[in-house]
Tab-separated table of all heavy atoms in Angstrom:
chain	number	residue	atom	x	y	z
K	10	TRP	N	10.365	8.470	118.213
K	10	TRP	CA	10.083	7.615	117.068
K	10	TRP	C	8.574	7.494	116.844
K	10	TRP	O	7.778	7.520	117.795
K	10	TRP	CB	10.648	6.218	117.294
K	10	TRP	CG	12.141	6.165	117.331
K	10	TRP	CD1	12.989	6.192	116.272
K	10	TRP	CD2	12.969	6.082	118.502
K	10	TRP	NE1	14.301	6.122	116.700
K	10	TRP	CE2	14.315	6.060	118.063
K	10	TRP	CE3	12.715	6.039	119.877
K	10	TRP	CZ2	15.391	5.993	118.947
K	10	TRP	CZ3	13.788	5.955	120.759
K	10	TRP	CH2	15.097	5.944	120.290
K	14	LEU	N	7.154	1.128	110.518
K	14	LEU	CA	7.840	1.040	109.234
K	14	LEU	C	6.801	0.758	108.152
K	14	LEU	O	5.868	-0.015	108.369
K	14	LEU	CB	8.878	-0.093	109.256
K	14	LEU	CG	9.947	-0.026	110.351
K	14	LEU	CD1	10.841	-1.267	110.292
K	14	LEU	CD2	10.784	1.242	110.231
K	29	LEU	N	8.100	-0.844	114.530
K	29	LEU	CA	9.548	-0.665	114.624
K	29	LEU	C	10.066	-1.464	115.816
K	29	LEU	O	9.474	-1.431	116.900
K	29	LEU	CB	9.861	0.823	114.804
K	29	LEU	CG	11.321	1.214	115.047
K	29	LEU	CD1	12.189	0.882	113.835
K	29	LEU	CD2	11.417	2.706	115.390
K	30	ASP	N	11.157	-2.192	115.617
K	30	ASP	CA	11.779	-2.962	116.696
K	30	ASP	C	12.424	-1.988	117.693
K	30	ASP	O	13.331	-1.226	117.317
K	30	ASP	CB	12.837	-3.886	116.088
K	30	ASP	CG	13.576	-4.707	117.136
K	30	ASP	OD1	13.400	-4.443	118.345
K	30	ASP	OD2	14.335	-5.608	116.747
K	32	GLU	N	14.600	-2.348	120.084
K	32	GLU	CA	16.046	-2.523	120.236
K	32	GLU	C	16.799	-1.926	119.037
K	32	GLU	O	17.844	-1.297	119.192
K	32	GLU	CB	16.373	-4.004	120.373
K	32	GLU	CG	17.845	-4.278	120.646
K	32	GLU	CD	18.120	-5.759	120.867
K	32	GLU	OE1	17.184	-6.505	121.136
K	32	GLU	OE2	19.303	-6.156	120.749
K	33	MET	N	16.219	-2.113	117.840
K	33	MET	CA	16.823	-1.535	116.643
K	33	MET	C	16.818	-0.012	116.733
K	33	MET	O	17.794	0.659	116.384
K	33	MET	CB	16.061	-1.986	115.393
K	33	MET	CG	16.670	-1.522	114.079
K	33	MET	SD	15.640	-1.906	112.637
K	33	MET	CE	15.615	-3.693	112.686
K	34	ALA	N	15.724	0.561	117.222
K	34	ALA	CA	15.617	2.012	117.335
K	34	ALA	C	16.686	2.566	118.278
K	34	ALA	O	17.376	3.532	117.952
K	34	ALA	CB	14.220	2.394	117.814
K	35	VAL	N	16.848	1.955	119.429
K	35	VAL	CA	17.808	2.447	120.416
K	35	VAL	C	19.243	2.310	119.907
K	35	VAL	O	20.063	3.214	120.068
K	35	VAL	CB	17.636	1.675	121.747
K	35	VAL	CG1	18.763	2.028	122.720
K	35	VAL	CG2	16.286	1.989	122.370
K	36	ASN	N	19.546	1.205	119.239
K	36	ASN	CA	20.931	0.919	118.853
K	36	ASN	C	21.363	1.577	117.544
K	36	ASN	O	22.555	1.706	117.292
K	36	ASN	CB	21.129	-0.594	118.725
K	36	ASN	CG	21.099	-1.277	120.074
K	36	ASN	OD1	21.420	-0.669	121.095
K	36	ASN	ND2	20.708	-2.539	120.101
K	37	PHE	N	20.388	1.964	116.706
K	37	PHE	CA	20.746	2.555	115.403
K	37	PHE	C	20.073	3.914	115.181
K	37	PHE	O	20.273	4.550	114.165
K	37	PHE	CB	20.396	1.581	114.270
K	37	PHE	CG	21.190	0.303	114.329
K	37	PHE	CD1	20.700	-0.801	115.014
K	37	PHE	CD2	22.436	0.227	113.741
K	37	PHE	CE1	21.439	-1.976	115.104
K	37	PHE	CE2	23.182	-0.949	113.814
K	37	PHE	CZ	22.684	-2.043	114.500
K	38	ILE	N	19.238	4.343	116.074
K	38	ILE	CA	18.588	5.656	116.161
K	38	ILE	C	17.641	5.929	114.992
K	38	ILE	O	16.422	5.910	115.152
K	38	ILE	CB	19.621	6.799	116.275
K	38	ILE	CG1	20.490	6.574	117.534
K	38	ILE	CG2	18.917	8.143	116.386
K	38	ILE	CD1	21.539	7.660	117.763
K	39	GLY	N	18.153	6.218	113.816
K	39	GLY	CA	17.291	6.567	112.676
K	39	GLY	C	18.166	6.974	111.504
K	39	GLY	O	19.367	6.702	111.478
K	40	GLY	N	17.605	7.650	110.505
K	40	GLY	CA	18.374	8.141	109.363
K	40	GLY	C	19.261	7.068	108.760
K	40	GLY	O	18.818	5.957	108.465
K	41	ASP	N	20.547	7.402	108.559
K	41	ASP	CA	21.500	6.454	107.981
K	41	ASP	C	21.601	5.174	108.811
K	41	ASP	O	21.718	4.067	108.259
K	41	ASP	CB	22.891	7.090	107.902
K	41	ASP	CG	23.064	7.938	106.656
K	41	ASP	OD1	22.046	8.269	106.019
K	41	ASP	OD2	24.218	8.283	106.331
K	42	GLY	N	21.608	5.315	110.149
K	42	GLY	CA	21.791	4.140	111.004
K	42	GLY	C	20.658	3.146	110.860
K	42	GLY	O	20.875	1.946	110.626
K	43	LEU	N	19.428	3.627	110.978
K	43	LEU	CA	18.264	2.751	110.836
K	43	LEU	C	18.181	2.188	109.422
K	43	LEU	O	17.947	0.989	109.222
K	43	LEU	CB	16.990	3.529	111.167
K	43	LEU	CG	15.666	2.780	110.982
K	43	LEU	CD1	15.601	1.552	111.884
K	43	LEU	CD2	14.481	3.714	111.262
K	44	GLY	N	18.406	3.049	108.419
K	44	GLY	CA	18.333	2.584	107.033
K	44	GLY	C	19.383	1.532	106.730
K	44	GLY	O	19.114	0.539	106.051
K	45	SER	N	20.613	1.736	107.230
K	45	SER	CA	21.687	0.768	106.985
K	45	SER	C	21.385	-0.572	107.644
K	45	SER	O	21.659	-1.640	107.081
K	45	SER	CB	23.016	1.317	107.513
K	45	SER	OG	23.376	2.497	106.836
K	46	LYS	N	20.834	-0.511	108.853
K	46	LYS	CA	20.476	-1.756	109.553
K	46	LYS	C	19.402	-2.519	108.770
K	46	LYS	O	19.494	-3.740	108.584
K	46	LYS	CB	19.971	-1.411	110.957
K	46	LYS	CG	19.395	-2.590	111.746
K	46	LYS	CD	20.414	-3.669	112.010
K	46	LYS	CE	19.834	-4.755	112.936
K	46	LYS	NZ	20.720	-5.948	112.986
K	47	LEU	N	18.394	-1.811	108.291
K	47	LEU	CA	17.336	-2.463	107.518
K	47	LEU	C	17.891	-3.039	106.213
K	47	LEU	O	17.524	-4.149	105.801
K	47	LEU	CB	16.218	-1.457	107.216
K	47	LEU	CG	15.389	-1.007	108.430
K	47	LEU	CD1	14.527	0.206	108.061
K	47	LEU	CD2	14.508	-2.145	108.937
K	48	LEU	N	18.787	-2.288	105.557
K	48	LEU	CA	19.360	-2.777	104.300
K	48	LEU	C	20.199	-4.024	104.549
K	48	LEU	O	20.098	-5.009	103.796
K	48	LEU	CB	20.216	-1.686	103.649
K	48	LEU	CG	20.754	-2.044	102.257
K	48	LEU	CD1	19.647	-1.952	101.216
K	48	LEU	CD2	21.906	-1.123	101.857
K	49	TYR	N	21.022	-3.988	105.602
K	49	TYR	CA	21.874	-5.147	105.878
K	49	TYR	C	21.026	-6.389	106.147
K	49	TYR	O	21.289	-7.475	105.620
K	49	TYR	CB	22.798	-4.882	107.080
K	49	TYR	CG	23.887	-5.937	107.178
K	49	TYR	CD1	25.165	-5.673	106.707
K	49	TYR	CD2	23.609	-7.207	107.672
K	49	TYR	CE1	26.150	-6.648	106.743
K	49	TYR	CE2	24.583	-8.186	107.708
K	49	TYR	CZ	25.850	-7.904	107.244
K	49	TYR	OH	26.821	-8.891	107.256
K	50	ASP	N	19.994	-6.216	106.944
K	50	ASP	CA	19.186	-7.376	107.356
K	50	ASP	C	18.311	-7.912	106.237
K	50	ASP	O	18.028	-9.116	106.182
K	50	ASP	CB	18.291	-7.001	108.539
K	50	ASP	CG	19.070	-6.796	109.822
K	50	ASP	OD1	20.281	-7.107	109.831
K	50	ASP	OD2	18.479	-6.308	110.807
K	66	ILE	N	15.341	2.702	100.609
K	66	ILE	CA	14.856	2.991	101.959
K	66	ILE	C	14.971	4.488	102.245
K	66	ILE	O	16.041	5.080	102.075
K	66	ILE	CB	15.667	2.204	103.008
K	66	ILE	CG1	15.530	0.696	102.753
K	66	ILE	CG2	15.218	2.556	104.421
K	66	ILE	CD1	16.489	-0.155	103.569
K	67	LEU	N	13.878	5.098	102.638
K	67	LEU	CA	13.884	6.490	103.087
K	67	LEU	C	13.624	6.485	104.583
K	67	LEU	O	12.641	5.892	105.042
K	67	LEU	CB	12.799	7.297	102.366
K	67	LEU	CG	12.959	7.464	100.850
K	67	LEU	CD1	11.779	8.227	100.273
K	67	LEU	CD2	14.269	8.176	100.512
K	68	SER	N	14.503	7.136	105.359
K	68	SER	CA	14.350	7.048	106.810
K	68	SER	C	14.506	8.410	107.478
K	68	SER	O	15.266	9.267	107.030
K	68	SER	CB	15.360	6.047	107.391
K	68	SER	OG	16.667	6.349	106.963
K	69	THR	N	13.775	8.560	108.557
K	69	THR	CA	13.833	9.764	109.393
K	69	THR	C	14.473	9.373	110.725
K	69	THR	O	14.998	8.265	110.865
K	69	THR	CB	12.420	10.319	109.645
K	69	THR	OG1	11.692	9.374	110.455
K	69	THR	CG2	11.672	10.533	108.340
K	70	GLY	N	14.421	10.264	111.705
K	70	GLY	CA	14.979	9.960	113.016
K	70	GLY	C	14.049	10.408	114.119
K	70	GLY	O	13.015	11.039	113.865
K	71	PRO	N	14.391	10.109	115.369
K	71	PRO	CA	13.507	10.450	116.484
K	71	PRO	C	13.348	11.955	116.704
K	71	PRO	O	12.400	12.370	117.363
K	71	PRO	CB	14.183	9.785	117.686
K	71	PRO	CG	15.604	9.595	117.270
K	71	PRO	CD	15.573	9.355	115.799
K	83	LEU	N	16.526	14.001	105.542
K	83	LEU	CA	15.965	12.724	105.102
K	83	LEU	C	17.115	11.869	104.594
K	83	LEU	O	17.935	12.337	103.801
K	83	LEU	CB	14.953	12.940	103.976
K	83	LEU	CG	14.403	11.681	103.298
K	83	LEU	CD1	13.456	10.951	104.240
K	83	LEU	CD2	13.689	12.036	101.992
K	84	SER	N	17.184	10.613	105.018
K	84	SER	CA	18.229	9.705	104.552
K	84	SER	C	17.662	8.736	103.529
K	84	SER	O	16.536	8.259	103.674
K	84	SER	CB	18.825	8.909	105.721
K	84	SER	OG	19.576	9.742	106.571
K	85	ALA	N	18.462	8.427	102.503
K	85	ALA	CA	18.138	7.366	101.554
K	85	ALA	C	19.259	6.336	101.609
K	85	ALA	O	20.437	6.692	101.561
K	85	ALA	CB	18.004	7.928	100.138
K	86	VAL	N	18.891	5.068	101.739
K	86	VAL	CA	19.876	3.988	101.839
K	86	VAL	C	19.511	2.909	100.829
K	86	VAL	O	18.345	2.517	100.717
K	86	VAL	CB	19.922	3.402	103.267
K	86	VAL	CG1	21.005	2.335	103.362
K	86	VAL	CG2	20.171	4.502	104.292
K	87	PHE	N	20.510	2.421	100.090
K	87	PHE	CA	20.282	1.452	99.009
K	87	PHE	C	21.643	0.894	98.610
K	87	PHE	O	22.690	1.363	99.087
K	87	PHE	CB	19.627	2.154	97.809
K	87	PHE	CG	20.323	3.432	97.413
K	87	PHE	CD1	21.353	3.427	96.481
K	87	PHE	CD2	19.984	4.640	98.019
K	87	PHE	CE1	22.020	4.593	96.142
K	87	PHE	CE2	20.662	5.827	97.684
K	87	PHE	CZ	21.675	5.799	96.748
K	95	ILE	N	27.513	0.367	99.725
K	95	ILE	CA	26.285	0.857	100.351
K	95	ILE	C	26.039	2.291	99.880
K	95	ILE	O	26.959	3.119	99.839
K	95	ILE	CB	26.375	0.771	101.888
K	95	ILE	CG1	25.009	1.050	102.514
K	95	ILE	CG2	27.461	1.683	102.450
K	95	ILE	CD1	24.933	0.693	103.998
K	96	GLY	N	24.814	2.584	99.463
K	96	GLY	CA	24.457	3.923	99.024
K	96	GLY	C	23.866	4.691	100.184
K	96	GLY	O	22.869	4.258	100.774
K	97	LEU	N	24.470	5.835	100.511
K	97	LEU	CA	24.017	6.663	101.630
K	97	LEU	C	23.848	8.089	101.128
K	97	LEU	O	24.832	8.751	100.799
K	97	LEU	CB	25.039	6.630	102.772
K	97	LEU	CG	25.367	5.256	103.368
K	97	LEU	CD1	26.614	5.341	104.237
K	97	LEU	CD2	24.193	4.736	104.193
K	98	SER	N	22.616	8.554	101.036
K	98	SER	CA	22.356	9.917	100.587
K	98	SER	C	21.529	10.639	101.635
K	98	SER	O	20.787	10.010	102.384
K	98	SER	CB	21.601	9.912	99.249
K	98	SER	OG	22.361	9.289	98.250
K	99	ASN	N	21.641	11.939	101.634
K	99	ASN	CA	21.026	12.718	102.703
K	99	ASN	C	20.638	14.076	102.151
K	99	ASN	O	21.437	14.705	101.478
K	99	ASN	CB	22.079	12.865	103.827
K	99	ASN	CG	21.531	13.482	105.073
K	99	ASN	OD1	21.089	14.622	105.049
K	99	ASN	ND2	21.563	12.743	106.151
K	114	ASP	N	8.678	5.962	110.533
K	114	ASP	CA	10.110	6.163	110.738
K	114	ASP	C	10.881	5.879	109.459
K	114	ASP	O	11.953	6.453	109.249
K	114	ASP	CB	10.609	5.232	111.856
K	114	ASP	CG	9.974	5.566	113.188
K	114	ASP	OD1	10.197	6.685	113.687
K	114	ASP	OD2	9.229	4.718	113.715
K	115	ALA	N	10.361	4.984	108.635
K	115	ALA	CA	11.060	4.654	107.387
K	115	ALA	C	10.088	4.016	106.396
K	115	ALA	O	9.077	3.419	106.785
K	115	ALA	CB	12.222	3.699	107.655
K	454	ASN	N	32.533	4.946	103.660
K	454	ASN	CA	31.798	3.712	103.340
K	454	ASN	C	30.982	3.813	102.059
K	454	ASN	O	30.650	2.789	101.456
K	454	ASN	CB	30.886	3.324	104.507
K	454	ASN	CG	31.663	2.753	105.671
K	454	ASN	OD1	32.692	2.106	105.474
K	454	ASN	ND2	31.193	2.997	106.888
K	461	LYS	N	31.339	12.012	105.079
K	461	LYS	CA	31.206	10.853	105.959
K	461	LYS	C	32.288	10.735	107.018
K	461	LYS	O	32.145	9.954	107.953
K	461	LYS	CB	31.162	9.563	105.123
K	461	LYS	CG	29.888	9.444	104.279
K	461	LYS	CD	28.639	9.489	105.153
K	461	LYS	CE	27.359	9.505	104.365
K	461	LYS	NZ	26.165	9.740	105.224
K	503	GLU	N	34.516	9.859	111.839
K	503	GLU	CA	33.555	8.967	111.187
K	503	GLU	C	32.420	8.586	112.143
K	503	GLU	O	31.250	8.554	111.758
K	503	GLU	CB	34.250	7.702	110.678
K	503	GLU	CG	33.283	6.792	109.899
K	503	GLU	CD	33.912	5.502	109.446
K	503	GLU	OE1	34.532	4.817	110.288
K	503	GLU	OE2	33.780	5.167	108.258
K	504	ASN	N	32.773	8.326	113.405
K	504	ASN	CA	31.735	7.997	114.391
K	504	ASN	C	30.784	9.180	114.606
K	504	ASN	O	29.559	8.999	114.712
K	504	ASN	CB	32.379	7.603	115.722
K	504	ASN	CG	33.199	6.321	115.608
K	504	ASN	OD1	32.989	5.524	114.687
K	504	ASN	ND2	34.126	6.114	116.522
K	505	VAL	N	31.340	10.395	114.672
K	505	VAL	CA	30.502	11.588	114.868
K	505	VAL	C	29.575	11.798	113.666
K	505	VAL	O	28.379	12.088	113.822
K	505	VAL	CB	31.385	12.835	115.094
K	505	VAL	CG1	30.530	14.108	115.078
K	505	VAL	CG2	32.134	12.720	116.417
K	506	HIS	N	30.112	11.648	112.458
K	506	HIS	CA	29.277	11.798	111.264
K	506	HIS	C	28.145	10.775	111.256
K	506	HIS	O	27.010	11.100	110.864
K	506	HIS	CB	30.128	11.640	109.999
K	506	HIS	CG	30.862	12.879	109.609
K	506	HIS	ND1	30.514	13.654	108.522
K	506	HIS	CD2	31.932	13.499	110.163
K	506	HIS	CE1	31.332	14.686	108.433
K	506	HIS	NE2	32.207	14.611	109.411
K	507	ALA	N	28.435	9.553	111.667
K	507	ALA	CA	27.400	8.520	111.695
K	507	ALA	C	26.279	8.900	112.669
K	507	ALA	O	25.093	8.649	112.405
K	507	ALA	CB	28.007	7.176	112.088
K	508	ILE	N	26.647	9.533	113.769
K	508	ILE	CA	25.632	9.988	114.727
K	508	ILE	C	24.772	11.088	114.105
K	508	ILE	O	23.537	11.030	114.131
K	508	ILE	CB	26.316	10.527	116.011
K	508	ILE	CG1	27.068	9.417	116.728
K	508	ILE	CG2	25.276	11.157	116.944
K	508	ILE	CD1	28.056	9.948	117.759
K	509	LEU	N	25.431	12.112	113.553
K	509	LEU	CA	24.697	13.253	112.991
K	509	LEU	C	23.779	12.815	111.858
K	509	LEU	O	22.652	13.312	111.719
K	509	LEU	CB	25.673	14.314	112.500
K	509	LEU	CG	26.584	14.939	113.571
K	509	LEU	CD1	27.565	15.911	112.934
K	509	LEU	CD2	25.761	15.644	114.647
K	510	ASP	N	24.236	11.858	111.036
K	510	ASP	CA	23.420	11.394	109.914
K	510	ASP	C	22.323	10.438	110.351
K	510	ASP	O	21.491	10.026	109.535
K	510	ASP	CB	24.311	10.701	108.867
K	510	ASP	CG	25.134	11.692	108.069
K	510	ASP	OD1	24.774	12.885	108.048
K	510	ASP	OD2	26.141	11.288	107.469
K	511	SER	N	22.330	10.057	111.609
K	511	SER	CA	21.304	9.145	112.104
K	511	SER	C	20.287	9.831	113.001
K	511	SER	O	19.226	9.268	113.286
K	511	SER	CB	21.962	7.987	112.868
K	511	SER	OG	22.801	7.258	112.007
K	512	LEU	N	20.595	11.062	113.454
K	512	LEU	CA	19.568	11.770	114.236
K	512	LEU	C	18.333	12.072	113.394
K	512	LEU	O	17.215	11.912	113.924
K	512	LEU	CB	20.175	13.039	114.835
K	512	LEU	CG	21.198	12.812	115.957
K	512	LEU	CD1	21.867	14.091	116.372
K	512	LEU	CD2	20.535	12.122	117.137
K	513	PRO	N	18.405	12.422	112.072
K	513	PRO	CA	19.563	12.997	111.389
K	513	PRO	C	19.493	14.510	111.473
K	513	PRO	O	18.420	15.097	111.509
K	513	PRO	CB	19.377	12.521	109.944
K	513	PRO	CG	17.893	12.390	109.755
K	513	PRO	CD	17.310	12.098	111.107
K	514	THR	N	20.684	15.141	111.465
K	514	THR	CA	20.740	16.592	111.475
K	514	THR	C	21.776	17.058	110.462
K	514	THR	O	22.602	16.278	110.011
K	514	THR	CB	21.110	17.118	112.877
K	514	THR	OG1	21.028	18.528	112.904
K	514	THR	CG2	22.518	16.700	113.260
K	550	LEU	N	26.394	7.676	122.500
K	550	LEU	CA	26.268	8.105	121.102
K	550	LEU	C	27.490	7.694	120.289
K	550	LEU	O	27.374	7.240	119.146
K	550	LEU	CB	26.078	9.622	121.031
K	550	LEU	CG	24.697	10.161	121.421
K	550	LEU	CD1	24.639	11.677	121.174
K	550	LEU	CD2	23.587	9.476	120.639
K	552	GLN	N	29.375	5.181	120.800
K	552	GLN	CA	29.286	3.731	120.578
K	552	GLN	C	28.276	3.425	119.460
K	552	GLN	O	28.517	2.539	118.629
K	552	GLN	CB	28.854	3.024	121.881
K	552	GLN	CG	28.775	1.502	121.781
K	552	GLN	CD	30.146	0.823	121.807
K	552	GLN	OE1	31.178	1.466	121.592
K	552	GLN	NE2	30.147	-0.482	122.069
K	553	VAL	N	27.166	4.166	119.420
K	553	VAL	CA	26.194	3.995	118.328
K	553	VAL	C	26.847	4.341	116.991
K	553	VAL	O	26.705	3.619	115.998
K	553	VAL	CB	24.952	4.875	118.559
K	553	VAL	CG1	24.071	4.893	117.306
K	553	VAL	CG2	24.142	4.365	119.748
K	554	GLY	N	27.591	5.466	116.962
K	554	GLY	CA	28.260	5.868	115.726
K	554	GLY	C	29.241	4.812	115.262
K	554	GLY	O	29.338	4.511	114.061
K	555	ARG	N	29.981	4.252	116.195
K	555	ARG	CA	30.946	3.203	115.839
K	555	ARG	C	30.216	1.961	115.316
K	555	ARG	O	30.638	1.350	114.328
K	555	ARG	CB	31.783	2.840	117.065
K	555	ARG	CG	32.897	1.862	116.773
K	555	ARG	CD	33.783	1.677	118.004
K	555	ARG	NE	34.924	0.815	117.713
K	555	ARG	CZ	36.024	1.202	117.084
K	555	ARG	NH1	36.118	2.450	116.699
K	555	ARG	NH2	37.009	0.363	116.846
K	556	ARG	N	29.121	1.602	115.977
K	556	ARG	CA	28.345	0.418	115.544
K	556	ARG	C	27.855	0.600	114.105
K	556	ARG	O	27.959	-0.311	113.281
K	556	ARG	CB	27.156	0.219	116.494
K	556	ARG	CG	26.265	-0.979	116.130
K	556	ARG	CD	25.098	-1.112	117.104
K	556	ARG	NE	25.541	-1.302	118.461
K	556	ARG	CZ	25.326	-0.447	119.467
K	556	ARG	NH1	24.618	0.668	119.248
K	556	ARG	NH2	25.787	-0.692	120.678
K	557	ILE	N	27.352	1.779	113.814
K	557	ILE	CA	26.810	2.037	112.472
K	557	ILE	C	27.928	2.004	111.422
K	557	ILE	O	27.791	1.365	110.372
K	557	ILE	CB	26.094	3.404	112.442
K	557	ILE	CG1	24.836	3.349	113.315
K	557	ILE	CG2	25.727	3.791	111.002
K	557	ILE	CD1	24.224	4.710	113.582
K	558	SER	N	29.038	2.674	111.692
K	558	SER	CA	30.113	2.740	110.694
K	558	SER	C	30.733	1.366	110.461
K	558	SER	O	31.089	1.030	109.321
K	558	SER	CB	31.178	3.760	111.113
K	558	SER	OG	31.773	3.410	112.345
K	559	VAL	N	30.862	0.565	111.517
K	559	VAL	CA	31.402	-0.800	111.356
K	559	VAL	C	30.427	-1.672	110.567
K	559	VAL	O	30.834	-2.459	109.702
K	559	VAL	CB	31.712	-1.412	112.739
K	559	VAL	CG1	31.949	-2.925	112.629
K	559	VAL	CG2	32.938	-0.735	113.356
K	560	MET	N	29.142	-1.532	110.834
K	560	MET	CA	28.154	-2.339	110.103
K	560	MET	C	28.144	-1.959	108.610
K	560	MET	O	28.071	-2.838	107.742
K	560	MET	CB	26.753	-2.144	110.687
K	560	MET	CG	25.687	-3.021	110.032
K	560	MET	SD	24.062	-2.629	110.653
K	560	MET	CE	23.915	-0.930	110.144
K	561	GLU	N	28.217	-0.661	108.319
K	561	GLU	CA	28.230	-0.231	106.916
K	561	GLU	C	29.475	-0.759	106.195
K	561	GLU	O	29.401	-1.194	105.040
K	561	GLU	CB	28.168	1.293	106.844
K	561	GLU	CG	26.828	1.864	107.299
K	561	GLU	CD	26.827	3.376	107.428
K	561	GLU	OE1	27.923	3.979	107.355
K	561	GLU	OE2	25.755	3.956	107.627
K	564	PHE	N	28.942	-4.310	105.503
K	564	PHE	CA	28.049	-4.508	104.342
K	564	PHE	C	28.888	-4.556	103.063
K	564	PHE	O	28.695	-5.428	102.205
K	564	PHE	CB	27.044	-3.355	104.261
K	564	PHE	CG	26.164	-3.410	103.032
K	564	PHE	CD1	24.939	-4.065	103.052
K	564	PHE	CD2	26.569	-2.799	101.841
K	564	PHE	CE1	24.136	-4.117	101.911
K	564	PHE	CE2	25.776	-2.849	100.701
K	564	PHE	CZ	24.554	-3.506	100.730
K	631	LEU	N	26.801	-6.885	116.986
K	631	LEU	CA	26.511	-7.211	115.581
K	631	LEU	C	26.721	-8.705	115.342
K	631	LEU	O	27.440	-9.115	114.425
K	631	LEU	CB	27.398	-6.367	114.656
K	631	LEU	CG	27.204	-4.848	114.773
K	631	LEU	CD1	28.258	-4.103	113.954
K	631	LEU	CD2	25.804	-4.443	114.314
K	634	VAL	N	25.847	-10.062	111.895
K	634	VAL	CA	26.858	-9.718	110.893
K	634	VAL	C	28.011	-10.710	110.974
K	634	VAL	O	28.476	-11.242	109.946
K	634	VAL	CB	27.369	-8.278	111.112
K	634	VAL	CG1	28.496	-7.954	110.135
K	634	VAL	CG2	26.227	-7.287	110.958
Side-chain angles (χ1 to χ4, degrees):
W10 293 282
L14 303 176
L29 175 65
D30 178 351
E32 185 176 342
M33 184 187 297
V35 172
N36 289 333
F37 296 92
I38 301 181
D41 276 15
L43 176 61
S45 298
K46 173 62 174 169
L47 291 168
L48 186 75
Y49 193 100
D50 289 351
I66 300 169
L67 295 177
S68 52
T69 67
L83 173 72
S84 291
V86 183
F87 49 90
I95 190 168
L97 301 166
S98 299
N99 188 298
D114 296 297
N454 286 328
K461 292 302 175 188
E503 184 183 50
N504 295 339
V505 171
H506 278 252
I508 296 164
L509 298 176
D510 286 341
S511 298
L512 290 173
T514 186
L550 285 185
Q552 182 76 343
V553 170
R555 185 173 184 79
R556 179 181 300 116
I557 293 168
S558 61
V559 166
M560 184 185 62
E561 291 171 350
F564 175 91
L631 299 172
V634 176

